[in-house]
Amino acid sequence: MPNIIKSYVKGVDTLNRFTGLVTMHLIFVMIGLLLYSSISRTLFDTPINSVVTISQFLMSAYYLLGGGFSMQEDAHVRMDLFYSSWSKKGKARADAFTSIFLVFYLVILLYGAVSSTMYTIEVGQKTRTLIQYPLAPIKILMTLGVFLMLLQATATFFKDLAKARGVTL
Amino acid sequence: MSYEMIALLMFSTMMVMMLTGQRVFGAIGFVAAVAALFLWGEGGVEMPFTAASKLMSWYPLLTLPLFVFMGYMLSESGIASDLYKMFHVWMGPLHGGLAIGTICLMVLISAMNGLSVAGMAIGATIALPEMLRRGYDKVMVTGVIQAGSSLGILVPPSVVLVLYGMIARQPVSDLWLAGAIPGLMLATMFVVYIVVRCRLQPELGPVLPKEERQMPLGEKIALLKAGILPLLIFVFMTGFFVAGVTSLVESSAVGATAAMLAALFRKRLTFKVLETTIRQTLGISCMFMWIILAALAFGAVFDGLGAVKAIESLFLEKWGLSPWEILILMQLSYIVMGMFLDDTAMLVIVAPLYIPLVISLGFNPIWYGVLYTITVQVAYMTPPFGYNLFLMKAMAPPEISLVDIYRSVIPFVLIMIFALVIVMSFPEIALWLPQYFKG
Amino acid sequence: QSTIKWRLQTYAGPALGEHVIKPAIDAFNKAANGEMVIELFYADQLVPTGELFRAMQKGTIDAVQSDDDSIAAPVDVSVFGGYFPFGTRYSLDVPVLFNQYGLNEIWEEAYDEVDGVKWLSAGAWDPCHFATKDPIRSLADLKGKRVFTFPTAGRFLSRFGVVPVTLPWEDIEVAMQTGELDGIAWSGITEDYTVGWADVTNYFLTNNISGAWCGSFFANEDRWNEVPEHLKTLFKLCMDSSHYYRQHWYWGGEAQLRTEGTKLELTTIPDEEWATVEAEAYKFWDEIAEQSDRSKRVVDILKKYAKTMEKAGKPYRYG
Ligand code: NA
Ligand code: NA
């Protein structure tokens, strides 16, 4: 494998690991926010208005930004009826081939994300809540998440390709 | 292209994609993206990402990462092994007692957790090795773990019923309450089966040696304390939600906090445990949510291309079936699809096709939610292809072969089908509790 | 010649859509005789309502039925779509304002500034009442109530201590049951019964903050231009028939369910007290008028119309 691919794979892995390690802490923000809201509402009779909106933002950022890292960690389930019985090399071969489909999906997803984000920025789209939060920041984060997933899918493709040819990256 | 052709093409392509072993979200997302690009017409290319906006508005889905977090916290906190020890000592004198204790353990784990994976992991790591060591029949105990873990999504809380509630637009509190009695009924049926089977074949579940369970009564009673924490967690989470004190999503945050406090109380809440938990939580949540993202796109494209109408007209007009025939056919189709599809994907893709039809046929959607949940569990446990079967293979010790696992589920699948028929014939079993709470 | 196919998504869910749109679309498909087929999709079915406008611009969806407010249409007049506080008193006000007082022209002008979307026609829906768990008998009862309502109506009602909550429409029934909401200010009593909200609330306030909700039909501009003239005419007739159906369905339904409905108890805030809400609304109008020249023109028209109606007296205005 050419050096440039090696460093690309390494770079993507590092980037996604870093993003993932930061993103995984968002769960504490979600727990804290919701706990605060339930205590404030039940004990002090003060409902927090923006909790739903902000939680929705957090949830979207969480699973999209964490996507690349989760693929790196091999967290994504497969229907391994046949797959599980193949050799390591056979698995890598199949993965390298079917990665084309995965990448295709992610490219279309990214196209939609960019197009949607551009619109949001152009018209200054906001939430329809009492406090009107701008949607641009979360849309940008979501697009970034899809992009990181795409990077990871291509890096994984190269890893599988190397494995299929019996070399390690 | 006719609607029927589109429906057939999209489904068969997805199944082929699944069989390649590519990640489930990629397989589904690819079919959605290709169909959107080539069959939708102008603007179809936007459909895959539109699903992300839809998912954002699915606020109750926030319970998913929180329940996953909670599950990991609970297994780290040692609550499960305490509970196991309690059942171990108290049930040991019976033939098959450890297996019965495992079902009881699963009921308690189910009452603290919204997914069935947690139950299976706890069962496979804590209960299974202990039972094997004591000469229990490996086929029977493997079945016990799988059947027991299936209670996870039936006994409240349940993430599957949250998803079902979002799709069917039904109150989650009613669905959770509706799942409780059928869940306990199923657990009882499992226990009865174990008792009867071990009476006929005592060698399947030998009595625990005396020295292992000999301890002063005071100590034995002290073991019961293990049941307090699960009870507290259940009350704080499900109890407060059903009583209307906390909202659904808030209740899952309360549950996550309670699990953390339980771990803290048992001095197990280390920095390392926290880091492992949130790392695993991110992985599992991403797995589920990317599948939902892809499946939402698939579902919307499938719907927009008219394939839903094709299925409806097939059931209602072309075949001229009666409501009950349609219902039974749907349940059978779940079992077939359960061979190829992941559970989340099946819910997000298939449920939106069936639920409106079920409601328009005059069936009660809350009752159907319970039927649905039992059916998908059966589907994942039915050989030769079932999602749970493979999960079990991955978690079980190497001496348990896939053939053992196949054989192990047969009696339990039969029990579950029997339970399904009972709930179908007597809807009150599911509907009594939610109606009682509504007053 | 191949069939023209449209996907039309409404903001209404299936139970409501059965009345407010489906009969008109079914009639259109029958009359179009295979030359054109419109496939109807309900709230959030293909695209979430908040993204509907852009989806239509991109051609993902060919046509939309909604108020301007719900689909967040990027035009200044969208604030008047949905429930503009005290903008109308009766459901006939909407077609009169659009056809006789110049709102048609203003809406056309506003949407012509936006690429790719053609605004087609506006019509009236139901009045905006409160359905609540606890009774509202005075303005003080509104204080602290968490109410599901529309963005513009919510901004206005927050002046009376109402806490407006925005949730996905389909979560409302659950939110009422789990205590996340105290009430709903989204519709009249007909919808409360039709979509099931009457089952989760106990009281219905007879005072309303708007007599008729204003909603429109829109289409992707290219798709609309491709349709031959006779089918355009047919579609206009179809929109009018949807408007017409809602006129009698809601008008009759509101009266019938107030008198014969058994699920909700009626309460009323005395007229003198409610007049302060109306007075506040006129201040709100002036604030909105400052947002743009076009908004000012709309507000001026609303004022002129209100004056005409008051002058005309009974049955247009009582007292
Ligand atoms: Na559970
Ligand atoms: Na335009």
Coordinates of all heavy atoms in Angstrom, one line a residue, chain A residues 41 47 49 52-53 56 111-112 115-117 119-120 123 125-126 128-130 132 135 139, chain C residues 50-51 53-54 57-58 69-70 72 74 146 150-151 154-155 158 163-167 179:
Chain A
R41 N -39.1 20.8 37.4 CA -40.5 20.8 37.1 C -41.3 20.2 38.3 O -42.3 20.7 38.7 CB -40.8 20.0 35.9 CG -42.2 20.1 35.3 CD -42.2 19.6 33.9 NE -41.8 18.3 33.8 CZ -42.5 17.2 34.2 NH1 -43.7 17.4 34.7 NH2 -42.1 16.0 34.1
P47 N -41.2 24.6 34.9 CA -40.8 23.8 33.7 C -39.7 24.5 32.9 O -39.7 25.8 32.8 CB -42.1 23.7 32.9 CG -43.0 24.8 33.4 CD -42.6 25.1 34.8
N49 N -38.3 25.3 29.4 CA -38.9 25.3 28.1 C -38.1 24.7 27.0 O -38.6 24.0 26.1 CB -39.2 26.8 27.7 CG -40.5 26.8 27.0 OD1 -40.7 26.1 26.0 ND2 -41.5 27.7 27.4
V52 N -36.6 20.1 25.5 CA -36.8 19.2 24.4 C -35.9 19.6 23.2 O -35.3 18.7 22.6 CB -38.3 19.3 24.0 CG1 -38.6 18.5 22.8 CG2 -39.2 18.8 25.1
T53 N -35.9 20.9 22.8 CA -35.1 21.3 21.7 C -33.7 21.0 21.9 O -33.0 20.4 21.0 CB -35.3 22.8 21.5 OG1 -36.7 23.1 21.6 CG2 -34.8 23.2 20.1
Q56 N -32.9 17.3 21.7 CA -32.9 16.8 20.3 C -31.6 17.1 19.6 O -31.1 16.3 18.9 CB -34.1 17.4 19.5 CG -35.4 16.9 20.0 CD -36.6 17.6 19.4 OE1 -36.5 18.8 19.1 NE2 -37.7 16.9 19.2
Y111 N -24.4 14.4 0.5 CA -25.0 15.4 -0.4 C -26.2 16.1 0.2 O -26.3 17.3 0.2 CB -25.3 14.7 -1.7 CG -25.9 15.6 -2.7 CD1 -25.2 16.3 -3.6 CD2 -27.3 15.8 -2.8 CE1 -25.7 17.2 -4.5 CE2 -27.9 16.7 -3.6 CZ -27.1 17.4 -4.5 OH -27.7 18.3 -5.4
G112 N -27.1 15.3 0.7 CA -28.3 15.8 1.3 C -28.0 16.7 2.5 O -28.6 17.7 2.7
S115 N -26.6 20.1 1.2 CA -27.7 20.8 0.6 C -28.7 21.4 1.7 O -29.1 22.5 1.6 CB -28.4 19.9 -0.4 OG -29.8 20.2 -0.5
S116 N -29.0 20.6 2.7 CA -29.9 21.0 3.7 C -29.3 22.1 4.6 O -29.9 23.1 5.0 CB -30.3 19.8 4.6 OG -31.0 20.2 5.7
T117 N -28.0 22.0 4.9 CA -27.3 23.0 5.7 C -27.2 24.3 5.0 O -27.4 25.3 5.6 CB -25.9 22.4 6.1 OG1 -26.1 21.1 6.7 CG2 -25.2 23.3 7.1
Y119 N -29.2 25.5 2.8 CA -30.5 26.2 2.8 C -30.7 26.8 4.2 O -31.2 28.0 4.3 CB -31.6 25.1 2.6 CG -33.0 25.6 2.7 CD1 -33.6 26.3 1.7 CD2 -33.7 25.4 4.0 CE1 -34.9 26.8 1.9 CE2 -34.9 25.9 4.1 CZ -35.6 26.6 3.1 OH -36.8 27.1 3.3
T120 N -30.4 26.1 5.2 CA -30.6 26.6 6.6 C -29.8 27.9 6.8 O -30.3 28.8 7.4 CB -30.1 25.5 7.6 OG1 -30.9 24.4 7.4 CG2 -30.2 26.0 9.0
V123 N -31.5 30.9 4.5 CA -32.7 31.5 4.9 C -32.7 31.8 6.4 O -33.7 32.3 7.0 CB -34.0 30.7 4.5 CG1 -34.0 30.4 3.1 CG2 -34.1 29.4 5.3
Q125 N -32.8 29.6 8.9 CA -33.8 28.7 9.5 C -33.7 28.6 11.0 O -32.6 28.4 11.5 CB -33.7 27.3 8.8 CG -35.0 26.6 8.8 CD -34.8 25.2 8.2 OE1 -33.7 24.8 7.9 NE2 -35.9 24.5 8.0
K126 N -34.8 28.7 11.7 CA -34.8 28.6 13.1 C -35.8 27.5 13.6 O -36.6 27.1 12.9 CB -35.2 29.9 13.7 CG -34.1 31.0 13.5 CD -34.5 32.3 14.2 CE -33.4 33.3 14.0 NZ -33.9 34.6 13.5
R128 N -39.0 26.2 15.7 CA -40.3 26.8 15.8 C -40.8 26.9 17.2 O -41.9 27.0 17.5 CB -41.3 26.1 15.0 CG -40.9 26.1 13.5 CD -41.8 25.2 12.6 NE -43.2 25.5 12.9 CZ -44.1 24.7 13.5 NH1 -43.7 23.6 13.9 NH2 -45.3 25.1 13.6
T129 N -39.8 27.0 18.2 CA -40.1 27.0 19.6 C -40.2 28.5 20.0 O -39.9 29.4 19.3 CB -39.0 26.3 20.4 OG1 -37.8 26.7 19.8 CG2 -39.2 24.8 20.3
L130 N -40.6 28.7 21.3 CA -40.8 30.0 21.8 C -39.5 30.8 21.7 O -39.5 31.9 21.2 CB -41.2 30.0 23.3 CG -41.5 31.3 23.9 CD1 -42.6 32.0 23.3 CD2 -41.7 31.2 25.4
Q132 N -36.4 31.0 19.6 CA -36.1 30.5 18.3 C -34.6 30.3 18.1 O -33.9 31.2 17.8 CB -36.7 31.4 17.2 CG -38.2 31.6 17.4 CD -38.8 32.4 16.3 OE1 -38.4 33.5 16.0 NE2 -39.9 31.8 15.6
L135 N -30.9 27.0 13.5 CA -30.6 25.6 13.2 C -29.3 25.3 12.5 O -28.8 24.2 12.5 CB -31.7 25.0 12.3 CG -33.0 24.6 12.9 CD1 -34.1 24.4 11.9 CD2 -32.8 23.3 13.7
K139 N -27.0 21.8 12.2 CA -27.0 21.2 10.9 C -25.5 21.0 10.4 O -25.1 20.0 9.8 CB -27.7 22.1 9.9 CG -29.2 22.0 10.0 CD -29.8 20.9 9.0 CE -31.3 20.8 9.1 NZ -32.0 21.7 8.3
Chain C
G50 N -41.4 20.3 9.4 CA -40.5 21.4 9.5 C -39.6 21.6 8.2 O -39.1 22.6 7.9
E51 N -39.4 20.5 7.5 CA -38.6 20.5 6.3 C -39.4 20.5 5.0 O -38.8 20.4 3.9 CB -37.7 19.2 6.3 CG -36.7 19.1 7.5 CD -35.5 20.1 7.4 OE1 -35.0 20.2 6.2 OE2 -35.2 20.7 8.4
F53 N -41.1 22.7 3.4 CA -41.0 23.8 2.4 C -39.8 23.5 1.4 O -40.0 23.6 0.2 CB -40.9 25.1 3.1 CG -41.0 26.3 2.1 CD1 -42.3 26.8 1.8 CD2 -39.9 26.8 1.5 CE1 -42.4 27.8 0.9 CE2 -40.0 27.8 0.6 CZ -41.3 28.3 0.3
R54 N -38.7 23.2 2.0 CA -37.5 23.0 1.2 C -37.7 21.7 0.4 O -37.2 21.7 -0.8 CB -36.3 22.8 2.1 CG -35.1 22.9 1.3 CD -33.8 22.8 2.2 NE -32.8 22.1 1.5 CZ -32.7 20.8 1.5 NH1 -33.5 20.1 2.2 NH2 -31.8 20.2 0.8
Q57 N -39.4 22.8 -2.6 CA -38.6 23.6 -3.4 C -37.7 22.7 -4.3 O -37.4 22.9 -5.5 CB -37.7 24.4 -2.6 CG -37.9 25.9 -2.7 CD -37.0 26.7 -1.8 OE1 -36.4 26.1 -0.8 NE2 -36.9 27.9 -2.0
K58 N -37.2 21.6 -3.7 CA -36.2 20.7 -4.3 C -36.9 19.7 -5.2 O -36.3 18.9 -5.9 CB -35.4 19.9 -3.3 CG -34.4 20.8 -2.6 CD -33.1 20.8 -3.3 CE -32.2 21.9 -2.7 NZ -31.0 22.1 -3.5
D69 N -47.0 29.0 8.6 CA -46.2 29.0 9.9 C -45.6 27.6 10.2 O -44.5 27.5 10.5 CB -47.3 29.3 11.0 CG -46.6 29.9 12.2 OD1 -45.4 30.3 12.1 OD2 -47.3 30.1 13.3
S70 N -46.4 26.5 10.0 CA -46.0 25.2 10.3 C -44.8 24.7 9.5 O -44.0 23.9 9.9 CB -47.1 24.2 10.2 OG -48.1 24.4 11.2
A72 N -42.6 26.6 8.2 CA -41.6 27.6 8.3 C -41.3 28.2 6.9 O -40.1 28.2 6.5 CB -40.3 27.0 9.0
P74 N -40.1 30.6 4.3 CA -39.2 31.7 4.4 C -39.7 33.0 3.8 O -39.0 33.6 3.0 CB -37.9 31.2 3.7 CG -38.4 30.2 2.7 CD -39.7 29.6 3.2
R146 N -48.8 24.9 30.9 CA -47.9 24.5 29.7 C -48.8 24.0 28.6 O -49.5 23.0 28.7 CB -47.0 23.4 30.2 CG -45.9 23.8 31.2 CD -45.4 22.7 31.9 NE -46.4 21.9 32.6 CZ -46.3 20.7 33.0 NH1 -45.3 20.0 32.7 NH2 -47.3 20.1 33.6
F150 N -49.1 27.0 18.5 CA -48.3 27.3 17.3 C -47.3 28.4 17.7 O -47.5 29.1 18.7 CB -49.2 27.9 16.2 CG -50.0 26.8 15.6 CD1 -51.2 26.4 16.0 CD2 -49.4 26.1 14.5 CE1 -51.9 25.4 15.4 CE2 -50.1 25.0 14.0 CZ -51.4 24.7 14.4
P151 N -46.2 28.6 17.0 CA -45.2 29.5 17.3 C -45.7 30.9 17.5 O -45.5 31.5 18.6 CB -44.3 29.5 16.1 CG -44.5 28.2 15.4 CD -45.9 27.8 15.7
G154 N -48.2 31.1 20.4 CA -47.4 30.9 21.6 C -46.7 32.2 22.1 O -46.8 32.5 23.3
R155 N -46.1 32.9 21.1 CA -45.4 34.1 21.5 C -46.4 35.1 22.1 O -46.2 35.8 23.0 CB -44.8 34.7 20.2 CG -43.3 34.6 20.2 CD -42.7 35.5 19.2 NE -43.1 35.2 17.8 CZ -43.0 36.0 16.8 NH1 -42.5 37.2 17.0 NH2 -43.3 35.7 15.6
S158 N -47.8 33.9 25.6 CA -46.8 34.0 26.7 C -47.0 35.3 27.5 O -46.6 35.4 28.6 CB -45.4 33.8 26.2 OG -45.1 34.9 25.4
V163 N -47.2 29.1 29.2 CA -45.9 28.6 28.8 C -46.0 27.7 27.6 O -46.5 26.6 27.6 CB -45.3 27.7 29.9 CG1 -43.9 27.2 29.6 CG2 -45.2 28.5 31.3
P164 N -45.7 28.3 26.4 CA -45.9 27.5 25.2 C -44.9 26.4 25.0 O -43.7 26.6 25.3 CB -45.8 28.6 24.1 CG -45.2 29.8 24.7 CD -45.2 29.6 26.1
V165 N -45.4 25.2 24.7 CA -44.5 24.1 24.5 C -44.6 23.6 23.1 O -45.7 23.5 22.5 CB -44.9 22.9 25.5 CG1 -44.0 21.7 25.3 CG2 -44.8 23.4 26.9
T166 N -43.4 23.4 22.5 CA -43.4 22.8 21.1 C -43.0 21.4 21.2 O -41.9 21.1 21.6 CB -42.5 23.7 20.2 OG1 -42.8 25.0 20.4 CG2 -42.7 23.3 18.8
L167 N -43.8 20.5 20.7 CA -43.5 19.1 20.7 C -44.0 18.6 19.3 O -44.8 19.2 18.7 CB -44.3 18.3 21.7 CG -43.9 18.5 23.2 CD1 -44.9 17.8 24.1 CD2 -42.5 17.9 23.4
G179 N -48.4 14.2 31.8 CA -48.3 15.4 32.6 C -47.3 16.4 32.1 O -46.9 17.3 32.8

